[in-house]
Amino acid sequence: MISTISSTPIPTTAYTATPTRGNSVQHTATERDAAQTETAARIRELRATDRRVRAHEAAHLAAAGALARSGANFTMVRGPDGRSYAVGGEVSLDVSPGRSPEETLAKAQQIRAAALAPADPSTQDFAVAAQAAQMAQQAQQEATAGGASETITERGTHEKIASALADFETREPAGTRIDLFS
């Protein structure tokens, strides 16, 4: 899953120089204060974004468990203070089918849970959850065709997820949250 919180370029401030005796330049205190305030605001914004991105990816990792192929990878930017801040991230999951339909179904459910674990799933997260729902539906069909019990999962749950995600993709603007189980 990739969740990217977009970052704006670091603002630059133009200083107005006031000429003084001997051709030296003196910046007014107000200009310095404005530049410092702007820089401090940018650093606060980067820190907040960094916290959100790290929490988002930590939620994916916690829900993914053994399906996580590695830790989170982050897209970093350097702030005006010289420190690096995360502005995007990704967690790689094992999405291969299991050895049996039942194992594949359990894996698909865990993938879906990992994709939707953050409080603010991204469009990519919803896409992964939809793929997991398809994987689960196929595993259910294989289990049923092979004589396995219908109680592996509710058949209606997969249809409900697929329907809600299809509606979401066609009607809702970016960033809208949907309740798949209402």
Side-chain angles (χ1 to χ4, degrees), residues 2-23:
I2 298 175
S3 169
T4 303
I5 299 172
S6 102
S7 152
T8 55
I10 297 170
T12 56
T13 304
Y15 292 101
T16 305
T18 306
T20 60
R21 264 185 282 167
N23 291 332

Side-chain angles (χ1 to χ4, degrees), residues 139-162:
Q140 178 65 41
Q141 289 170 352
E142 289 174 13
T144 302
S149 169
E150 282 288 323
T151 61
I152 293 173
T153 187
E154 285 183 48
R155 195 174 274 290
T157 300
H158 299 295
E159 294 167 2
K160 199 172 192 182
I161 290 170

Side-chain angles (χ1 to χ4, degrees), residues 7-165:
S7 152
T8 55
I10 297 170
T12 56
T13 304
Y15 292 101
T16 305
T18 306
T20 60
R21 264 185 282 167
N23 291 332
S24 65
V25 176
Q26 178 182 17
H27 298 285
T28 65
T30 305
E31 291 166 338
R32 279 192 305 271
D33 290 346
Q36 288 173 347
T37 301
E38 204 173 301
T39 299
R42 177 66 177 147
I43 291 170
R44 280 191 305 275
E45 177 187 336
L46 285 169
R47 283 182 181 154
T49 299
D50 183 89
R51 280 191 301 273
R52 280 192 311 270
V53 168
R54 290 179 188 277
H56 183 102
E57 300 309 327
H60 286 312
L61 279 171
L67 295 181
R69 290 187 170 168
S70 66
N73 293 314
F74 296 102
T75 302
M76 308 295 282
V77 297
R78 188 161 309 281
D81 58 354
R83 294 184 178 167
S84 292
Y85 296 93
V87 293
E90 170 182 304
V91 172
S92 226
L93 299 179
D94 173 11
V95 295
S96 63
R99 291 179 293 236
S100 68
E102 292 81 6
E103 188 177 306
T104 300
L105 181 60
K107 213 172 179 183
Q109 290 170 340
Q110 189 172 1
I111 292 167
R112 183 187 162 283
L116 300 177
D120 58 342
S122 68
T123 303
Q124 176 67 20
D125 297 338
F126 284 116
V128 170
Q131 290 171 344
Q134 289 175 340
M135 182 179 178
Q137 187 173 18
Q138 183 177 1
Q140 178 65 41
Q141 289 170 352
E142 289 174 13
T144 302
S149 169
E150 282 288 323
T151 61
I152 293 173
T153 187
E154 285 183 48
R155 195 174 274 290
T157 300
H158 299 295
E159 294 167 2
K160 199 172 192 182
I161 290 170
S163 173
L165 288 171

